[in-house]
C-alpha cells in the first residue's frame, strides 16, 4: 500500500539518485507524474483505486556525455539489485544512450535515456500496481 503522494515522492527520490550518480541536474520544470488505473491481462480494472505511476523528469546534458551518464546509472542500478533489460550507448555511431532496468522484488522499472535529438536526457520510474491506503476509520488507540 502506498498513497499517491508517497509514490510520487519515492519515484522522485529514485530519479534524483540516478541524476546524482550521473553528475547531472534534473530540471524540476519538466517533472511529469501520470497516475493511471491498473488494468489486468483481460482489460479488467478493480474499483479500489489501484494505480500505476509513470514519473519522469528531464535533464539538460551535452549529448556527448549521454553514454557516460547512462553507463554510471546502469552500474548503480545493477549494483542495487536491478536487472538490466536494455542498454545502448550509440545508434549509428552517434550518442543515443539508454538503460532500462527492472527491480525483481519491488517490480518497478527505472530508465535513463537520450530524449529526442537535442541535449535532453530522460529519467523515469514506472511503479507496479499500487493500492492506496484505505480511507476507512483509523483504529482508536487503547
Amino acid at each position: 500500500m502506498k498513497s499517491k503522494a508517497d509514490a510520487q515522492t519515492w519515484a522522485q527520490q529514485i530519479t534524483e539518485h540516478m541524476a546524482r550518480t550521473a553528475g547531472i541536474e534534473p530540471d524540476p520544470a519538466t517533472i511529469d507524474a501520470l497516475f493511471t488505473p491498473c488494468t489486468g491481462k483481460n482489460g479488467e480494472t478493480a474499483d479500489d483505486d489501484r494505480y500505476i505511476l509513470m514519473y519522469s523528469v528531464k535533464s539538460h546534458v551535452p549529448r556527448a556525455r549521454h553514454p557516460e551518464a547512462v553507463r554510471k546509472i546502469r552500474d548503480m542500478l545493477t549494483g542495487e539489485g536491478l536487472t538490466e533489460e536494455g542498454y545502448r550507448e550509440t545508434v549509428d555511431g552517434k550518442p543515443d544512450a539508454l538503460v532500462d532496468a527492472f527491480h525483481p522484488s519491488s517490480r518497478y522499472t527505472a530508465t535513463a535515456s537520450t530524449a529526442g535529438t537535442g541535449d535532453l536526457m530522460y529519467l523515469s520510474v514506472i511503479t507496479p500496481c499500487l493500492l492506496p491506503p484505505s480511507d476507512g476509520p483509523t483504529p482508536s488507540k487503547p
Side-chain angles (χ1 to χ4, degrees):
M1 278 196 212
K2 195 175 287 259
S3 71
K4 288 182 177 182
D6 287 347
Q8 185 167 336
T9 297
W10 175 76
Q12 180 177 354
Q13 289 169 346
I14 293 171
T15 57
E16 287 173 351
H17 181 42
M18 292 165 64
R20 278 191 309 275
T21 297
I24 62 179
E25 287 291 322
D27 179 356
T30 66
I31 290 172
D32 186 22
L34 176 63
F35 293 91
T36 63
C38 293
T39 304
K41 290 182 207 176
N42 300 315
E44 70 277 11
T45 57
D47 54 0
D48 58 7
D49 295 326
R50 294 171 197 243
Y51 65 91
I52 292 171
L53 169 59
M54 292 176 270
Y55 179 92
S56 66
V57 65
K58 294 182 178 94
S59 180
H60 292 276
V61 181
R63 193 148 183 130
R65 285 196 51 227
H66 287 203
E68 172 194 354
V70 167
R71 197 174 316 121
K72 288 177 179 179
I73 293 169
R74 176 193 62 182
D75 292 347
M76 178 272 295
L77 292 172
T78 58
E80 293 183 4
L82 282 80
T83 302
E84 179 185 317
E85 294 197 324
Y87 183 79
R88 72 170 183 258
E89 293 186 9
T90 61
V91 171
D92 296 329
K94 297 177 184 163
D96 192 345
L98 164 85
V99 63
D100 195 28
F102 177 76
H103 195 280
S105 61
S106 297
R107 298 180 10 243
Y108 70 89
T109 301
T111 301
S113 66
T114 298
T117 58
D119 69 347
L120 287 178
M121 285 201 72
Y122 171 83
L123 306 174
S124 73
V125 171
I126 300 174
T127 70
C129 189
L130 297 172
L131 183 63
S134 169
D135 287 336
T138 56
S140 58
K141 294 182 181 179

